[in-house]
Amino acid sequence: MHELSIVMNIVEIVEENLQQSGAKAVTEIELEIGSLSGVVIEALEFALEEGIKNTILEHARKNIIKIPGRARCNKCSHEFDVDDLFTPCPECSSFDSTIMQGEELRIKSIVVE
Ligand SMILES: [Zn+2]
């Protein structure tokens, strides 16, 4: 399961950071997940419940921020919302566009005690 390995990765990153800071527990973690990142939010939430048991994140409040996809057309410079990587420009129908946001998959912040 793709999402569970993402959660394992998140736990690893957080534990490394906390070892350096000397904090004991995480009270809150904020994740930014782009709609084009390939992550299914519901699956990620489920994986979080399972994957953080007996880790430093076990009692953390989880805040998942969804980032919508945005692209800019390379032909006419029009900016538009995209749900997948194969959305044509609504102005000129070109498929030649650059993704500006929506591929995020990152820890935005953690709150420790
Ligand atoms: Zn265009």
Side-chain angles (χ1 to χ4, degrees):
M1 184 180 173
H2 178 55
E3 279 74 10
L4 193 56
S5 66
I6 292 169
V7 170
M8 295 310 199
N9 195 17
I10 290 170
V11 169
E12 215 167 275
I13 291 166
V14 172
E15 283 182 341
E16 263 173 37
N17 274 284
L18 257 63
Q19 264 170 8
Q20 287 166 5
S21 72
K24 289 185 191 69
V26 177
T27 52
E28 188 178 332
I29 182 164
E30 210 168 49
L31 303 171
E32 280 187 336
I33 310 294
S35 64
L36 306 176
S37 65
V39 175
V40 180
I41 301 277
E42 290 73 23
L44 183 69
E45 283 171 343
F46 180 76
L48 270 172
E49 294 299 326
E50 292 301 309
I52 65 174
K53 280 177 185 162
N54 303 314
T55 75
I56 205 155
L57 281 166
E58 186 167 16
H59 301 293
R61 204 160 63 82
K62 298 168 286 290
N63 191 8
I64 297 176
I65 300 161
K66 298 174 197 176
I67 312 278
R70 286 286 286 176
R72 180 192 282 136
C73 177
N74 291 331
K75 289 241 159 63
C76 73
S77 297
H78 181 68
E79 283 183 24
F80 53 100
D81 295 331
V82 289
D83 293 326
D84 57 58
L85 298 172
F86 309 103
T87 306
C89 172
E91 289 291 312
C92 71
S93 302
S94 170
F95 281 92
D96 181 13
S97 57
T98 303
I99 300 296
M100 298 169 67
Q101 67 167 44
E103 294 178 306
E104 294 81 356
L105 172 50
R106 63 176 175 233
I107 301 167
K108 187 166 184 249
S109 66
I110 55 173
V111 179
V112 297
E113 59 175 26

